[in-house]
Amino acid sequence: SQQGEEDPQALSIQEGENATMNCSYKTSINNLQWYRQNSGRGLVHLILIRSNEREKHSGRLRVTLDTSKKSSSLLITASRAADTASYFCAPAGFNKFYFGSGTKLNVKP
Amino acid sequence: EAGVVQSPRYKIIEKKQPVAFWCNPISGHNTLYWYLQNLGQGPELLIRYENEEAVDDSQLPKDRFSAERLKGVDSTLKIQPAELGDSAVYLCASSTGTAQGETQYFGPGTRLLVL
């Protein structure tokens, strides 16, 4: 399936440090999206990277995509306590996409 | 622009009772999704609508779950009868389409507890 699998499952860092999360998937995609979910809330779209792109930036976020390895990474620079959340990747095909189990990020103040 | 609206936010029922969830998508979004999210897991798609047509309901347990999207706008998801294992968060999302993997916008979810 196109389900994304995030790694690590959990990550704990100090405020100011960078956080890197990885995503792997199995089939070809049209794009790959990253979402954030704060505890008890719905998912919020962070960034979309198309299959013909290799890197994309948005504020403190940097996403890379390697279609040959079927993997993506999300880097959050200079993390803040407010970045504490679960992060999901969603590899998107032409009709649907699937969420993995997410990476739970804890940023300690 | 208003986001995706869901109600109720919380629901506690006894097993074997019916329950219904309501979703109002972002105006102009033709595609509507219902997801189930268990604790510590990612959302799992239950059903996807393109306008009023259910185009993907392969993961919907049709013996007890049903959904409708009248007039291609609001949608209702129903469970009858509810079982203990149905306790989860039910998320609604909408997007402008699905052909190119468009961004989905999520509501806050309905947290269901079945006792």
Side-chain angles (χ1 to χ4, degrees):
Chain A
S1 76
Q2 292 166 331
Q3 185 172 12
E5 294 295 337
E6 294 89 349
D7 173 67
Q9 290 186 328
L11 181 61
S12 185
I13 59 174
Q14 292 292 140
E15 205 167 26
E17 293 180 340
N18 295 342
T20 299
M21 289 158 267
N22 302 298
C23 169
S24 60
Y25 58 93
K26 294 182 179 177
T27 63
S28 60
I29 59 173
N30 184 54
N31 64 60
L32 187 142
Q33 302 178 31
W34 285 90
Y35 288 78
R36 183 190 74 227
Q37 185 177 36
N38 292 88
S39 181
R41 310 290 289 273
L43 279 73
V44 175
H45 179 257
L46 293 176
I47 194 165
L48 180 154
I49 185 165
R50 303 196 184 281
S51 59
N52 61 354
E53 297 176 312
R54 292 297 167 259
E55 187 171 310
K56 200 162 184 179
H57 297 254
S58 177
R60 294 182 298 111
L61 306 180
R62 182 175 81 106
V63 169
T64 63
L65 179 64
D66 187 334
T67 54
S68 67
K69 295 182 179 178
K70 292 187 169 55
S71 67
S72 174
S73 67
L74 171 67
L75 168 67
I76 304 175
T77 59
S79 64
R80 305 166 181 168
D83 295 328
T84 293
S86 291
Y87 292 81
F88 297 92
C89 73
F94 288 94
N95 284 311
K96 61 180 68 175
F97 54 81
Y98 297 93
F99 294 89
S101 298
T103 292
K104 196 164 188 175
L105 174 65
N106 179 35
V107 182
K108 294 176 283 188
Chain B
E1 178 184 85
V4 176
V5 179
Q6 289 187 250
S7 69
R9 291 295 312 278
Y10 305 93
K11 190 74 177 178
I12 301 174
I13 61 171
E14 293 188 346
K15 63 180 180 182
K16 300 185 181 179
Q17 293 300 306
V19 65
F21 314 123
W22 176 80
C23 173
N24 179 241
I26 292 173
S27 177
H29 281 192
N30 298 324
T31 306
L32 184 146
Y33 312 77
W34 282 103
Y35 288 92
L36 176 154
Q37 186 176 27
N38 289 305
L39 189 65
Q41 300 296 313
E44 299 172 31
L45 181 68
L46 290 173
I47 190 168
R48 174 169 63 95
Y49 282 94
E50 294 285 351
N51 298 304
E52 66 274 9
E53 182 183 359
V55 296
D56 185 353
D57 62 356
S58 57
Q59 301 302 311
L60 188 73
K62 298 181 183 65
D63 57 334
R64 297 184 300 107
F65 286 65
S66 65
E68 60 182 9
R69 189 182 185 198
L70 299 176
K71 299 182 181 179
V73 182
D74 295 0
S75 178
T76 303
L77 178 70
K78 299 178 182 178
I79 308 175
Q80 183 171 11
E83 296 179 353
L84 296 177
D86 296 332
S87 295
V89 176
Y90 291 83
L91 295 166
C92 179
S94 69
S95 70
T96 55
T98 55
Q100 301 299 321
E102 279 83 0
T103 297
Q104 294 186 17
Y105 297 84
F106 284 80
T110 295
R111 188 174 297 271
L112 174 67
L113 179 59
V114 182
L115 302 175

